[in-house]
Amino acid sequence: MIQIGPYSLSLDDPLTLIALIGAGVLLLIVILLITAVRAATRSARMTEPLAQQMSQLGQRVQGLSDGQHQLAGGLNHVSEAQAASQSHMLQLMEKRLAEVGNQMTENLQGSARRTAQSLGDLQQRLQTIDKAQDNITKLSGDVLSLQDILSNKQTRGAFGEIQLTDIVTKALPSDSYTLQATLSNGKRADCLIHLPNPPGPICIDSKFPLEAYEALRRAKTDWELNEAAKFLRTSVKKHLRDISEKYILDGETADGALMFLPSEAVYAELHANFPELVREGFAAKVWIVSPTTCMATLNTMRAILKDARMREQAGAIRRELGLLFADVDRLGSRVENLDRHFHQAAKDISDIKISADKAGRRARRLDNFDFEELAPESEPALPAPHEGLARKG
């Protein structure tokens, strides 16, 4: 039992118990509220610096936010500038790339054209080389054929005769020479030139000492060179002697003959290194000629033949000149007669014109004649026709 003032409460009573508990709880709540208020007051006093710091921190955060906004604006400006710069750079790069592409295209086209032209020129040169190669091959075959021809004495002699015939036919008229002419001693010359006396017909014989010349060219030692030189001297001397004995005949041919060498190289070798052979030919009255000097000699002979024929025809020329002078004199006489006839005809025409003028004047006077006003007069007698003609004549 609890005694509270005038009231007494029993703990065994539930209502009392609940009331006590409720009162205690209420008291506890009041105490807690007072304590909380005190704590809140202390907390408020304690949190005032923190609030100030939080305010300052908020200001700083606001400043940071403003700076962030400014930074964002600057970043946007930088981004836009960078984008514009990148766009300009891209355009410039595209332009440069287009120019480089065009230049590369032009260079490639130019290179292609030059390459095509070079290939065309190369092809033409290759074709020229092929033609030259074909010509060289053909020439090699001709050289081999020529070697085959020159390796045989008979064919070599025929080669010299053909070359001599070609030169003679080109240099002289056909009636001034005879090929393969047979002389009174039975010897046959390759060509006989019909020159007038003096000097008379002159013989040309073709000789070709090829073996001796080739031996001289192939010589490598002094002994081989001396042997080849002896061989060449012997061969040329034999040819000179044969021509002098066979083709120089008193009263039939000239007192000299020509030895035709169909090779300029052999001719040059003789004159360069064997002048004694040339002098020996002069002594034997046998003159050595090459194709070139033979053509010059034949042209000289052509002039001699022309001069001789002019002298032979001198009498006929004089006779023809006399007849020409007579014809010219006769022509002059006939021209004088024709001129005289022209003068007479001109005079006759002038007289006819005078008579015609007189007749015209008379006809005009008759046409204008007035018979009424004309006084009777005696007309003069007209002359007889033959008398008028006589006076005019």
Side-chain angles (χ1 to χ4, degrees), residues 146 215 299:
L146 182 61
N299 285 327

Side-chain angles (χ1 to χ4, degrees), residues 64 290 324 359:
L64 291 174
S290 66
L324 179 62

Side-chain angles (χ1 to χ4, degrees), residues 181-188 249:
T182 302
L183 303 179
S184 60
N185 58 359
K187 303 300 180 181
R188 180 177 296 176
L249 303 178

Side-chain angles (χ1 to χ4, degrees), residues 11-297:
L11 294 173
D12 294 333
D13 188 3
L15 294 175
T16 303
L17 184 60
I18 292 171
L20 290 174
I21 292 169
V25 170
L26 180 60
L27 180 62
L28 180 61
I29 290 172
V30 171
I31 293 170
L32 290 174
L33 285 174
I34 293 170
T35 305
V37 169
R38 290 178 179 177
T41 302
R42 287 195 303 266
S43 297
R45 286 194 300 267
M46 292 177 64
T47 56
E48 285 180 359
L50 181 61
Q52 292 178 357
Q53 292 179 359
M54 290 296 293
S55 177
Q56 293 176 359
L57 180 61
Q59 292 177 358
R60 292 179 180 178
V61 169
Q62 184 66 33
L64 291 174
S65 177
D66 295 338
Q68 186 176 4
H69 285 298
Q70 293 178 358
L71 180 60
L75 290 175
N76 290 329
H77 180 70
V78 171
S79 177
E80 292 176 356
Q82 187 175 4
S85 177
Q86 289 179 355
S87 177
H88 179 70
M89 183 64 69
L90 287 174
Q91 292 178 358
L92 182 61
M93 289 180 67
E94 289 178 355
K95 183 178 179 181
R96 295 286 179 86
L97 287 174
E99 292 177 355
V100 171
N102 293 330
Q103 188 174 3
M104 289 182 65
T105 302
E106 293 178 357
N107 292 333
L108 289 175
Q109 291 178 354
S111 299
R113 288 195 299 269
R114 290 191 296 271
T115 302
Q117 185 177 1
S118 299
L119 290 175
D121 296 340
L122 181 60
Q123 185 176 5
Q124 292 180 356
R125 291 179 181 178
L126 289 175
Q127 291 177 356
T128 304
I129 292 172
D130 291 337
K131 292 181 181 179
Q133 184 67 32
D134 294 337
N135 293 330
I136 290 173
T137 304
K138 183 179 179 181
L139 182 60
S140 298
D142 295 339
V143 170
L144 293 176
S145 301
L146 182 61
Q147 289 179 352
D148 295 336
I149 291 173
L150 297 179
S151 61
N152 186 286
K153 289 185 178 181
Q154 293 181 351
T155 56
R156 186 165 67 243
F159 172 76
E161 293 174 4
I162 292 172
Q163 192 172 3
L164 176 62
T165 301
D166 182 66
I167 294 173
V168 171
T169 53
K170 289 180 180 179
L172 299 177
S174 59
D175 59 346
S176 61
Y177 62 88
T178 301
L179 298 175
Q180 300 299 319
T182 302
L183 303 179
S184 60
N185 58 359
K187 303 300 180 181
R188 180 177 296 176
D190 293 333
C191 182
L192 180 65
I193 309 298
H194 303 297
L195 293 178
N197 289 317
I202 186 169
C203 296
I204 304 177
D205 196 62
S206 176
K207 300 296 181 182
F208 200 172
L210 182 63
E211 293 90 349
Y213 178 75
E214 289 182 345
L216 186 66
R217 294 295 92 190
R218 290 193 303 266
K220 296 181 180 179
T221 63
D222 293 339
W223 182 83
E224 292 178 353
L225 185 62
N226 292 330
E227 292 297 322
K230 291 180 182 179
F231 186 25
L232 182 61
R233 289 189 182 93
T234 302
S235 300
V236 174
K237 286 181 180 180
K238 181 179 181 303
H239 292 324
L240 294 174
R241 185 171 58 255
D242 291 342
I243 292 174
S244 177
E245 293 175 355
K246 295 178 181 179
Y247 305 123
I248 300 177
L249 303 178
D250 292 336
E252 184 176 354
T253 65
D255 59 350
L258 299 177
M259 185 177 80
F260 175 71
L261 289 176
S263 173
E264 297 286 351
V266 178
Y267 178 82
E269 182 69 25
L270 292 179
H271 281 75
N273 299 320
F274 298 91
E276 70 279 4
L277 294 177
V278 179
R279 289 193 296 270
E280 187 169 345
F282 290 162
K285 295 185 178 180
V286 177
W287 295 277
I288 303 173
V289 294
S290 66
T292 303
T293 56
C294 182
M295 178 63 74
T297 304

